Amino acid sequence: MARGLILSSSTTLTANSLFTSFSKTPLKSFKFSPFSHLLHHHHHYLPKSSSIPLSCCCFSASSSSSQQCSIDMSKYKQAFSNRMDMAGIKPHHRIALGVSGGPDSMALCVLTAGWKTTGVNSVGTDSSGFIDGLLAIIVDHGLRAESKEEANVVCKRVSEMGIRCEITSCDWPSGKPKQGQLQEAAREKRYQVFHDVCAKHQIGVLFIAHHADDQAELFILRLSRNSGVLGLAGTPFTSQIFPMQTRSYCEVPENQGILLVRPLLDFSKEDMYKICQGGTEEWVEDPTNQSPLFTRNRIRMALNPLSSSFKSELQRVISACRKTRAYVDQVCHNLIHHSVVINDHGYAVIDLQILCDLKIEDICLMKFLSVVLQFVSQRQKQIRGSALKLLMDYLRTFPCKKSITAAGCYLCPEPGSRGSRVLVCCSVDFASSLKMEFFETHSFRQQEYCVADELGKIVEDEKSYPNHFVQDASNVHFLDVNPESVLDEAKRLNIISESTYSSILVLQKQETDRFRSKVGAISDLASKQKVEISTTFGKLLQPGQCCYFMDRFILTWKLNDKMDRDVVSDLVDYDIDFSEDAQNFYCSSCVVHHDNVLEVRYMIESDWLYLAELSKYPLSGNFTEYEVMSANGNTQMIEKTVPYLNYASVSATKALVLLKSIPVAARRSLPVLINQQGKLISIPSVKFRHCPCLMVHVEFKPKIPLEGGHSSFI
């Protein structure tokens, strides 16, 4: 988040003099003028020795022209176009840009606008003069008093480039984040805003201005956290982000998430400045980026003075890690395709026999397990650490004979497989998995533009790109090394020199020591605080309202005025009155009315027993009421009301048949509707309804798809 112009005292004087001389010059020629009110405001943030060139912040018309002529923009434009081809993205696609106003995001604006409007597939402008299908999203975090004004300045500057802008201000209901958590909290809020704005405008692709220097900082950061080769590979070229909260049905398309693209990963920070200068665009610098309180800032300051050969060798290590990750991702994809079956009831089955027959590297098997369990548990982050080691030991045992609970999942031998296959289902004992969201329905199916179709085509084009392949294992490094041995292996392979190796170790030690002391302080604080776990057992669901149950099932219900044709067809074999009068009233003993609500919970064992009891009663007219055990364990009298009682018995019988095909462990995560007295009303996944006038819809639509989203490139 780049907010606030940073200038030294001498720079301030020069800029003020220029502004005095050219105050009547049009804005497009002299872009420093909008920042005149900021020139004195932030100069105190600048260190005594500024690493930011004067020309990066403001420059005259003559200096602008000379710098532009000296910068070869063609190589940047061609590299950017090549990356778009790799990602399968075309100029006509709708694209959002994450823009802060700093040199990185301004360079991204320059290249994206040029790529969209030039060439054989270029697009034009709309009636307002903005480039078709391009939106800049500016996030005002609201963490500094001047942030709103600065966001407006950046918006004006980007708009003059022909890019439509939208400013979104963040709110902090629980208060602004503390200093030590500021950057992480701001990042999470920023990506939440990105997703919300993209969903609102039906945009499926978001560009972010991460570059090679960011990757170097992340490498040192993760090295200090003892990350393995997959983490040291840094941020991928393409990935997906998913909404933390769902506000409407239209936010849950077939291909979920927003495609996140980082087109500038091959460019350095110096390239960012040159692109801005070559495009005659200015930028602002965030004063918080100079603060040594933040880890990334400290690492950046430590890396800046190091030699170009050091930085080049560091990028070689990162590149080798990325190649390794690409290979692991491909192996993982093949393993999932051949050995995993996903059931629409939300559980997975892993064929251990297939895994045992293959010689799979541990790193590939760990990624495979992490991906499958992330999908089943619908966690935002992949599984790591001790839980992953436990799962590895479990999967290596053949045949499987026991059950375990780990990472929000329950694993056990699949019934009838004799341990050759493993059932993986969501554990209802895992508190954070018992998540329910309630939102209103919107008819996204009526929208003219379908984000899912466009994303599907992008993924298809990306996979057909000629360079989309993975090397043979013999050409991939770091497959068999421990996390702490990656640098040693890189030195042995002459990827890095002895001096670079030593310098990286020094940086790693500095940040590792700081991290350990910080973790200790946080642990002490956490031990003093009471952790509250909120359960979602029995949430109320209004008629017509949608519920996202455990991030996997979308559920909604309503009452009809009469039985539908499907109900009548279920009862044609029985001697039941189907007259108009018989179909136009409700079963008063078991169904709520229009102005009532139902509760949502997961299935429990007594639900099965209740269905078994209900299915036993004869469909005849010789009784007026009967006794049945309810789902909450109490005996209750059920009034006979034809044809509704008969329908409940038939529905229970059919539901039991379907339930028998679902493993017992997997049934526990199925959504169930009960009335406010605790009586079972419906199990939508097996089509049980106690009343034929009750219409219930359930759809298996997990937020995070299998494999966690889009594949990454080297």
PDB file of all heavy atoms in Angstrom, residues 217 221 225 289-304 507 510-511 514-515 518:
ATOM      1  N   GLU A 217      12.823 -10.855  -0.977  1.00  0.00           N
ATOM      2  CA  GLU A 217      12.463 -10.582   0.422  1.00  0.00           C
ATOM      3  C   GLU A 217      11.719 -11.765   1.027  1.00  0.00           C
ATOM      4  O   GLU A 217      11.982 -12.175   2.165  1.00  0.00           O
ATOM      5  CB  GLU A 217      11.591  -9.329   0.490  1.00  0.00           C
ATOM      6  CG  GLU A 217      12.282  -8.053   0.053  1.00  0.00           C
ATOM      7  CD  GLU A 217      11.293  -6.936  -0.194  1.00  0.00           C
ATOM      8  OE1 GLU A 217      10.118  -7.069   0.250  1.00  0.00           O
ATOM      9  OE2 GLU A 217      11.656  -5.928  -0.826  1.00  0.00           O
ATOM     10  N   LEU A 221      12.578 -14.191   4.258  1.00  0.00           N
ATOM     11  CA  LEU A 221      11.569 -14.280   5.317  1.00  0.00           C
ATOM     12  C   LEU A 221      11.197 -15.731   5.592  1.00  0.00           C
ATOM     13  O   LEU A 221      11.179 -16.176   6.747  1.00  0.00           O
ATOM     14  CB  LEU A 221      10.331 -13.483   4.903  1.00  0.00           C
ATOM     15  CG  LEU A 221       9.113 -13.555   5.844  1.00  0.00           C
ATOM     16  CD1 LEU A 221       9.453 -12.976   7.203  1.00  0.00           C
ATOM     17  CD2 LEU A 221       7.918 -12.838   5.232  1.00  0.00           C
ATOM     18  N   ARG A 225      11.843 -18.764   8.684  1.00  0.00           N
ATOM     19  CA  ARG A 225      10.748 -19.515   9.306  1.00  0.00           C
ATOM     20  C   ARG A 225      10.877 -21.018   9.062  1.00  0.00           C
ATOM     21  O   ARG A 225       9.952 -21.779   9.299  1.00  0.00           O
ATOM     22  CB  ARG A 225       9.390 -19.049   8.773  1.00  0.00           C
ATOM     23  CG  ARG A 225       9.120 -17.547   8.844  1.00  0.00           C
ATOM     24  CD  ARG A 225       9.137 -17.015  10.264  1.00  0.00           C
ATOM     25  NE  ARG A 225       8.571 -15.682  10.333  1.00  0.00           N
ATOM     26  CZ  ARG A 225       9.267 -14.549  10.378  1.00  0.00           C
ATOM     27  NH1 ARG A 225      10.592 -14.599  10.334  1.00  0.00           N
ATOM     28  NH2 ARG A 225       8.659 -13.375  10.465  1.00  0.00           N
ATOM     29  N   ASN A 289       6.834   2.003   4.459  1.00  0.00           N
ATOM     30  CA  ASN A 289       7.822   1.113   3.847  1.00  0.00           C
ATOM     31  C   ASN A 289       9.242   1.413   4.306  1.00  0.00           C
ATOM     32  O   ASN A 289      10.163   0.652   4.005  1.00  0.00           O
ATOM     33  CB  ASN A 289       7.753   1.218   2.319  1.00  0.00           C
ATOM     34  CG  ASN A 289       6.501   0.567   1.757  1.00  0.00           C
ATOM     35  OD1 ASN A 289       5.881  -0.265   2.408  1.00  0.00           O
ATOM     36  ND2 ASN A 289       6.122   0.954   0.550  1.00  0.00           N
ATOM     37  N   GLN A 290       9.438   2.531   5.005  1.00  0.00           N
ATOM     38  CA  GLN A 290      10.760   2.884   5.513  1.00  0.00           C
ATOM     39  C   GLN A 290      10.942   2.475   6.974  1.00  0.00           C
ATOM     40  O   GLN A 290      12.028   2.624   7.526  1.00  0.00           O
ATOM     41  CB  GLN A 290      10.967   4.404   5.396  1.00  0.00           C
ATOM     42  CG  GLN A 290      10.779   4.960   4.001  1.00  0.00           C
ATOM     43  CD  GLN A 290      11.834   4.473   3.031  1.00  0.00           C
ATOM     44  OE1 GLN A 290      12.968   4.235   3.431  1.00  0.00           O
ATOM     45  NE2 GLN A 290      11.488   4.328   1.773  1.00  0.00           N
ATOM     46  N   SER A 291       9.896   1.952   7.594  1.00  0.00           N
ATOM     47  CA  SER A 291       9.959   1.646   9.020  1.00  0.00           C
ATOM     48  C   SER A 291      10.607   0.289   9.274  1.00  0.00           C
ATOM     49  O   SER A 291      10.154  -0.730   8.741  1.00  0.00           O
ATOM     50  CB  SER A 291       8.549   1.650   9.625  1.00  0.00           C
ATOM     51  OG  SER A 291       8.575   1.167  10.953  1.00  0.00           O
ATOM     52  N   PRO A 292      11.652   0.235  10.090  1.00  0.00           N
ATOM     53  CA  PRO A 292      12.300  -1.049  10.412  1.00  0.00           C
ATOM     54  C   PRO A 292      11.492  -1.910  11.368  1.00  0.00           C
ATOM     55  O   PRO A 292      11.914  -3.018  11.720  1.00  0.00           O
ATOM     56  CB  PRO A 292      13.625  -0.610  11.053  1.00  0.00           C
ATOM     57  CG  PRO A 292      13.324   0.722  11.660  1.00  0.00           C
ATOM     58  CD  PRO A 292      12.326   1.376  10.739  1.00  0.00           C
ATOM     59  N   LEU A 293      10.330  -1.425  11.796  1.00  0.00           N
ATOM     60  CA  LEU A 293       9.480  -2.221  12.679  1.00  0.00           C
ATOM     61  C   LEU A 293       8.911  -3.438  11.953  1.00  0.00           C
ATOM     62  O   LEU A 293       8.560  -4.433  12.584  1.00  0.00           O
ATOM     63  CB  LEU A 293       8.329  -1.364  13.223  1.00  0.00           C
ATOM     64  CG  LEU A 293       8.711  -0.226  14.177  1.00  0.00           C
ATOM     65  CD1 LEU A 293       7.483   0.608  14.505  1.00  0.00           C
ATOM     66  CD2 LEU A 293       9.338  -0.788  15.446  1.00  0.00           C
ATOM     67  N   PHE A 294       8.800  -3.346  10.615  1.00  0.00           N
ATOM     68  CA  PHE A 294       8.191  -4.420   9.838  1.00  0.00           C
ATOM     69  C   PHE A 294       9.273  -5.318   9.242  1.00  0.00           C
ATOM     70  O   PHE A 294      10.295  -4.836   8.734  1.00  0.00           O
ATOM     71  CB  PHE A 294       7.308  -3.847   8.735  1.00  0.00           C
ATOM     72  CG  PHE A 294       6.214  -2.953   9.256  1.00  0.00           C
ATOM     73  CD1 PHE A 294       6.223  -1.596   8.998  1.00  0.00           C
ATOM     74  CD2 PHE A 294       5.177  -3.474  10.017  1.00  0.00           C
ATOM     75  CE1 PHE A 294       5.226  -0.772   9.471  1.00  0.00           C
ATOM     76  CE2 PHE A 294       4.171  -2.660  10.502  1.00  0.00           C
ATOM     77  CZ  PHE A 294       4.192  -1.303  10.237  1.00  0.00           C
ATOM     78  N   THR A 295       9.020  -6.617   9.286  1.00  0.00           N
ATOM     79  CA  THR A 295      10.018  -7.605   8.864  1.00  0.00           C
ATOM     80  C   THR A 295      10.465  -7.398   7.428  1.00  0.00           C
ATOM     81  O   THR A 295      11.661  -7.383   7.124  1.00  0.00           O
ATOM     82  CB  THR A 295       9.450  -9.027   9.037  1.00  0.00           C
ATOM     83  OG1 THR A 295       9.046  -9.213  10.388  1.00  0.00           O
ATOM     84  CG2 THR A 295      10.497 -10.066   8.672  1.00  0.00           C
ATOM     85  N   ARG A 296       9.508  -7.260   6.524  1.00  0.00           N
ATOM     86  CA  ARG A 296       9.852  -7.108   5.112  1.00  0.00           C
ATOM     87  C   ARG A 296      10.712  -5.854   4.882  1.00  0.00           C
ATOM     88  O   ARG A 296      11.622  -5.861   4.048  1.00  0.00           O
ATOM     89  CB  ARG A 296       8.593  -7.039   4.254  1.00  0.00           C
ATOM     90  CG  ARG A 296       8.072  -8.410   3.819  1.00  0.00           C
ATOM     91  CD  ARG A 296       6.907  -8.243   2.863  1.00  0.00           C
ATOM     92  NE  ARG A 296       6.474  -9.499   2.289  1.00  0.00           N
ATOM     93  CZ  ARG A 296       6.981 -10.039   1.179  1.00  0.00           C
ATOM     94  NH1 ARG A 296       7.970  -9.432   0.560  1.00  0.00           N
ATOM     95  NH2 ARG A 296       6.504 -11.161   0.704  1.00  0.00           N
ATOM     96  N   ASN A 297      10.412  -4.782   5.600  1.00  0.00           N
ATOM     97  CA  ASN A 297      11.200  -3.561   5.442  1.00  0.00           C
ATOM     98  C   ASN A 297      12.650  -3.786   5.859  1.00  0.00           C
ATOM     99  O   ASN A 297      13.589  -3.320   5.202  1.00  0.00           O
ATOM    100  CB  ASN A 297      10.593  -2.429   6.270  1.00  0.00           C
ATOM    101  CG  ASN A 297       9.230  -2.005   5.763  1.00  0.00           C
ATOM    102  OD1 ASN A 297       8.783  -2.457   4.715  1.00  0.00           O
ATOM    103  ND2 ASN A 297       8.568  -1.135   6.499  1.00  0.00           N
ATOM    104  N   ARG A 298      12.847  -4.490   6.973  1.00  0.00           N
ATOM    105  CA  ARG A 298      14.212  -4.764   7.441  1.00  0.00           C
ATOM    106  C   ARG A 298      14.975  -5.603   6.413  1.00  0.00           C
ATOM    107  O   ARG A 298      16.142  -5.341   6.122  1.00  0.00           O
ATOM    108  CB  ARG A 298      14.174  -5.495   8.787  1.00  0.00           C
ATOM    109  CG  ARG A 298      13.683  -4.658   9.943  1.00  0.00           C
ATOM    110  CD  ARG A 298      14.040  -5.320  11.265  1.00  0.00           C
ATOM    111  NE  ARG A 298      13.514  -6.674  11.361  1.00  0.00           N
ATOM    112  CZ  ARG A 298      12.324  -6.994  11.866  1.00  0.00           C
ATOM    113  NH1 ARG A 298      11.526  -6.029  12.297  1.00  0.00           N
ATOM    114  NH2 ARG A 298      11.931  -8.243  11.942  1.00  0.00           N
ATOM    115  N   ILE A 299      14.297  -6.612   5.882  1.00  0.00           N
ATOM    116  CA  ILE A 299      14.958  -7.467   4.895  1.00  0.00           C
ATOM    117  C   ILE A 299      15.280  -6.665   3.641  1.00  0.00           C
ATOM    118  O   ILE A 299      16.369  -6.796   3.059  1.00  0.00           O
ATOM    119  CB  ILE A 299      14.066  -8.679   4.552  1.00  0.00           C
ATOM    120  CG1 ILE A 299      13.882  -9.561   5.793  1.00  0.00           C
ATOM    121  CG2 ILE A 299      14.662  -9.482   3.411  1.00  0.00           C
ATOM    122  CD1 ILE A 299      12.903 -10.702   5.585  1.00  0.00           C
ATOM    123  N   ARG A 300      14.344  -5.821   3.215  1.00  0.00           N
ATOM    124  CA  ARG A 300      14.562  -5.000   2.021  1.00  0.00           C
ATOM    125  C   ARG A 300      15.772  -4.089   2.205  1.00  0.00           C
ATOM    126  O   ARG A 300      16.614  -3.958   1.316  1.00  0.00           O
ATOM    127  CB  ARG A 300      13.316  -4.178   1.723  1.00  0.00           C
ATOM    128  CG  ARG A 300      13.392  -3.367   0.427  1.00  0.00           C
ATOM    129  CD  ARG A 300      12.147  -2.533   0.234  1.00  0.00           C
ATOM    130  NE  ARG A 300      10.947  -3.359   0.355  1.00  0.00           N
ATOM    131  CZ  ARG A 300      10.009  -3.165   1.269  1.00  0.00           C
ATOM    132  NH1 ARG A 300      10.119  -2.168   2.147  1.00  0.00           N
ATOM    133  NH2 ARG A 300       8.953  -3.941   1.324  1.00  0.00           N
ATOM    134  N   MET A 301      15.859  -3.453   3.374  1.00  0.00           N
ATOM    135  CA  MET A 301      16.974  -2.548   3.641  1.00  0.00           C
ATOM    136  C   MET A 301      18.307  -3.306   3.693  1.00  0.00           C
ATOM    137  O   MET A 301      19.353  -2.772   3.306  1.00  0.00           O
ATOM    138  CB  MET A 301      16.741  -1.808   4.955  1.00  0.00           C
ATOM    139  CG  MET A 301      15.566  -0.841   4.911  1.00  0.00           C
ATOM    140  SD  MET A 301      15.208  -0.145   6.553  1.00  0.00           S
ATOM    141  CE  MET A 301      13.757   0.853   6.179  1.00  0.00           C
ATOM    142  N   ALA A 302      18.255  -4.549   4.171  1.00  0.00           N
ATOM    143  CA  ALA A 302      19.479  -5.350   4.236  1.00  0.00           C
ATOM    144  C   ALA A 302      19.910  -5.826   2.848  1.00  0.00           C
ATOM    145  O   ALA A 302      21.102  -5.969   2.565  1.00  0.00           O
ATOM    146  CB  ALA A 302      19.270  -6.547   5.154  1.00  0.00           C
ATOM    147  N   LEU A 303      18.936  -6.059   1.942  1.00  0.00           N
ATOM    148  CA  LEU A 303      19.245  -6.547   0.599  1.00  0.00           C
ATOM    149  C   LEU A 303      19.707  -5.433  -0.333  1.00  0.00           C
ATOM    150  O   LEU A 303      20.504  -5.677  -1.251  1.00  0.00           O
ATOM    151  CB  LEU A 303      18.017  -7.242   0.002  1.00  0.00           C
ATOM    152  CG  LEU A 303      17.622  -8.597   0.574  1.00  0.00           C
ATOM    153  CD1 LEU A 303      16.282  -9.048   0.012  1.00  0.00           C
ATOM    154  CD2 LEU A 303      18.690  -9.644   0.257  1.00  0.00           C
ATOM    155  N   ASN A 304      19.199  -4.219  -0.129  1.00  0.00           N
ATOM    156  CA  ASN A 304      19.466  -3.123  -1.064  1.00  0.00           C
ATOM    157  C   ASN A 304      20.950  -2.889  -1.343  1.00  0.00           C
ATOM    158  O   ASN A 304      21.355  -2.752  -2.500  1.00  0.00           O
ATOM    159  CB  ASN A 304      18.808  -1.830  -0.574  1.00  0.00           C
ATOM    160  CG  ASN A 304      17.328  -1.785  -0.897  1.00  0.00           C
ATOM    161  OD1 ASN A 304      16.860  -2.476  -1.801  1.00  0.00           O
ATOM    162  ND2 ASN A 304      16.584  -0.978  -0.164  1.00  0.00           N
ATOM    163  N   LEU A 507      21.662 -13.119   6.896  1.00  0.00           N
ATOM    164  CA  LEU A 507      20.315 -12.550   6.853  1.00  0.00           C
ATOM    165  C   LEU A 507      19.306 -13.483   7.520  1.00  0.00           C
ATOM    166  O   LEU A 507      18.414 -13.040   8.252  1.00  0.00           O
ATOM    167  CB  LEU A 507      19.903 -12.291   5.404  1.00  0.00           C
ATOM    168  CG  LEU A 507      20.669 -11.201   4.661  1.00  0.00           C
ATOM    169  CD1 LEU A 507      20.303 -11.211   3.180  1.00  0.00           C
ATOM    170  CD2 LEU A 507      20.384  -9.834   5.261  1.00  0.00           C
ATOM    171  N   GLN A 510      19.643 -13.357  11.407  1.00  0.00           N
ATOM    172  CA  GLN A 510      19.102 -12.122  11.974  1.00  0.00           C
ATOM    173  C   GLN A 510      17.585 -12.204  12.134  1.00  0.00           C
ATOM    174  O   GLN A 510      17.031 -11.884  13.188  1.00  0.00           O
ATOM    175  CB  GLN A 510      19.469 -10.932  11.088  1.00  0.00           C
ATOM    176  CG  GLN A 510      20.941 -10.580  11.100  1.00  0.00           C
ATOM    177  CD  GLN A 510      21.286  -9.492  10.100  1.00  0.00           C
ATOM    178  OE1 GLN A 510      20.471  -9.126   9.249  1.00  0.00           O
ATOM    179  NE2 GLN A 510      22.506  -8.973  10.188  1.00  0.00           N
ATOM    180  N   GLU A 511      16.910 -12.644  11.074  1.00  0.00           N
ATOM    181  CA  GLU A 511      15.447 -12.699  11.121  1.00  0.00           C
ATOM    182  C   GLU A 511      14.935 -13.863  11.953  1.00  0.00           C
ATOM    183  O   GLU A 511      13.887 -13.779  12.571  1.00  0.00           O
ATOM    184  CB  GLU A 511      14.867 -12.765   9.703  1.00  0.00           C
ATOM    185  CG  GLU A 511      14.921 -11.455   8.960  1.00  0.00           C
ATOM    186  CD  GLU A 511      14.310 -10.319   9.749  1.00  0.00           C
ATOM    187  OE1 GLU A 511      13.242 -10.517  10.367  1.00  0.00           O
ATOM    188  OE2 GLU A 511      14.894  -9.224   9.770  1.00  0.00           O
ATOM    189  N   ARG A 514      14.976 -12.700  15.564  1.00  0.00           N
ATOM    190  CA  ARG A 514      13.880 -11.772  15.829  1.00  0.00           C
ATOM    191  C   ARG A 514      12.554 -12.515  15.889  1.00  0.00           C
ATOM    192  O   ARG A 514      11.692 -12.228  16.709  1.00  0.00           O
ATOM    193  CB  ARG A 514      13.830 -10.701  14.743  1.00  0.00           C
ATOM    194  CG  ARG A 514      14.972  -9.698  14.784  1.00  0.00           C
ATOM    195  CD  ARG A 514      14.700  -8.547  13.838  1.00  0.00           C
ATOM    196  NE  ARG A 514      15.760  -7.553  13.872  1.00  0.00           N
ATOM    197  CZ  ARG A 514      16.735  -7.474  12.973  1.00  0.00           C
ATOM    198  NH1 ARG A 514      16.787  -8.349  11.979  1.00  0.00           N
ATOM    199  NH2 ARG A 514      17.650  -6.534  13.055  1.00  0.00           N
ATOM    200  N   PHE A 515      12.385 -13.489  14.981  1.00  0.00           N
ATOM    201  CA  PHE A 515      11.134 -14.243  14.918  1.00  0.00           C
ATOM    202  C   PHE A 515      10.913 -15.051  16.185  1.00  0.00           C
ATOM    203  O   PHE A 515       9.813 -15.085  16.736  1.00  0.00           O
ATOM    204  CB  PHE A 515      11.148 -15.160  13.690  1.00  0.00           C
ATOM    205  CG  PHE A 515       9.949 -16.054  13.579  1.00  0.00           C
ATOM    206  CD1 PHE A 515       8.686 -15.525  13.344  1.00  0.00           C
ATOM    207  CD2 PHE A 515      10.069 -17.431  13.703  1.00  0.00           C
ATOM    208  CE1 PHE A 515       7.576 -16.340  13.230  1.00  0.00           C
ATOM    209  CE2 PHE A 515       8.964 -18.254  13.597  1.00  0.00           C
ATOM    210  CZ  PHE A 515       7.715 -17.708  13.358  1.00  0.00           C
ATOM    211  N   LYS A 518       9.853 -12.864  19.030  1.00  0.00           N
ATOM    212  CA  LYS A 518       8.489 -12.373  18.818  1.00  0.00           C
ATOM    213  C   LYS A 518       7.475 -13.466  19.116  1.00  0.00           C
ATOM    214  O   LYS A 518       6.443 -13.232  19.747  1.00  0.00           O
ATOM    215  CB  LYS A 518       8.332 -11.879  17.380  1.00  0.00           C
ATOM    216  CG  LYS A 518       6.960 -11.312  17.069  1.00  0.00           C
ATOM    217  CD  LYS A 518       6.903 -10.814  15.631  1.00  0.00           C
ATOM    218  CE  LYS A 518       5.521 -10.279  15.303  1.00  0.00           C
ATOM    219  NZ  LYS A 518       5.431  -9.806  13.890  1.00  0.00           N
TER     220      LYS A 518
END
